[in-house]
């Protein structure tokens, strides 16, 4: 028969106080903040990217819980840029679906509500992705590096969407081999 650990003794203090902890509590390191935590995860998600021109990752979060992730990659079931080459138009690879769009699609495919969520993105959204983010009801965008389109600043302010540049950079995240 399996043996289980003994149940800890209850406090005998009459005032209902909790029992004393054994040993000192270490305060030698500070916990990472939520923005840094989720941005670091976005950088890890970016390591799944299948377009070598730019590795981008996105994480959708609400109430400190991850709702969905996405990275830039080819249409589901089709060849990847890294395998067959890039399909370029006006200097942009159009073979891929952007990380933000893939995160929104993943949430939709799984029936996850993303209204009032925050999206963490390793690069600021292009204008088309910004429009998807806005219409999905996402209220906060945290990005690591600015990427190309300054219209997002004006439109985010007009729509009341918080736009924040994070301090976490790719160099501080362990890269995939």
């Amino acid at each position: 028969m399996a043996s289980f650990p003994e149940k800890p003794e209850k406090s005998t203090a009459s005032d209902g106080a909790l029992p004393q902890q054994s040993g000192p509590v270490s305060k030698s390191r500070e916990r990472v903040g939520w923005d840094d935590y989720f941005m670091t995860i976005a950088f890890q998600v970016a390591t799944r990217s299948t377009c070598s021109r730019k590795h981008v990752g996105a994480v959708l979060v609400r109430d400190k819980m991850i709702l969905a992730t996405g990275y830039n990659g080819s249409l589901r079931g089709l060849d990847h840029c890294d395998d067959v080459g890039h399909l370029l138009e006006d200097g942009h690879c159009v073979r891929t679906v952007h990380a933000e769009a893939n995160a929104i699609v993943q949430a939709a495919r799984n029936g996850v509500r993303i209204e009032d969520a925050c999206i963490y993105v390793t690069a600021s959204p292009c204008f088309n992705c910004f429009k998807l983010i806005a219409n999905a009801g996402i209220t906060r965008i945290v990005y690591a590096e600015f990427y190309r389109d300054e219209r997002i600043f004006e439109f985010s302010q007009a729509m009341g969407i918080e736009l924040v540049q994070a301090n976490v950079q790719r160099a501080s995240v362990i890269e995939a081999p």
Side-chain angles (χ1 to χ4, degrees):
M1 176 152 51
S3 102
F4 295 98
E6 300 243 348
K7 192 174 181 181
E9 292 183 32
K10 292 185 177 180
S11 171
T12 57
S14 60
D15 62 358
L18 295 174
Q20 292 293 319
Q21 290 186 347
S22 61
V25 176
S26 174
K27 301 247 182 194
S28 62
R29 74 169 182 87
E30 290 191 29
R31 293 173 68 189
V32 66
W34 288 109
D35 282 351
D36 290 350
Y37 172 73
F38 290 121
M39 186 57 71
T40 300
I41 294 170
F43 277 112
Q44 190 62 42
V45 170
T47 66
R48 292 282 307 150
S49 171
T50 62
C51 183
S52 60
R53 289 178 50 88
K54 186 134 188 91
H55 294 163
V56 181
V59 178
L60 281 165
V61 174
R62 188 179 52 247
D63 298 329
K64 300 177 186 164
M65 291 187 293
I66 295 174
L67 305 173
T69 64
Y71 53 87
N72 58 320
S74 296
L75 291 168
R76 186 179 296 271
L78 295 183
D79 293 329
H80 302 298
C81 297
D82 291 350
D83 298 331
V84 297
H86 302 285
L87 182 59
L88 297 178
E89 287 182 9
D90 299 323
H92 298 280
C93 182
V94 296
R95 184 182 302 280
T96 63
V97 177
H98 289 187
E100 305 92 322
N102 273 327
I104 291 168
V105 167
Q106 184 186 85
R109 287 176 58 99
N110 290 301
V112 176
R113 184 178 70 84
I114 59 174
E115 188 175 12
D116 297 322
C118 173
I119 189 165
Y120 292 84
V121 193
T122 58
S124 61
C126 71
F127 196 56
N128 283 332
C129 285
F130 175 82
K131 292 184 286 186
L132 289 173
I133 290 166
N135 275 0
I138 296 167
T139 57
R140 186 168 188 256
I141 302 168
V142 181
Y143 65 94
E145 86 175 86
F146 174 72
Y147 184 69
R148 297 186 189 226
D149 205 322
E150 294 190 6
R151 293 177 289 184
I152 65 172
F153 298 110
E154 176 187 346
F155 279 82
S156 65
Q157 188 172 25
M159 297 185 70
I161 297 173
E162 185 180 0
L163 194 59
V164 178
Q165 185 163 16
N167 292 325
V168 175
Q169 297 299 319
R170 187 177 304 273
S172 66
V173 179
I174 298 172
E175 292 288 332

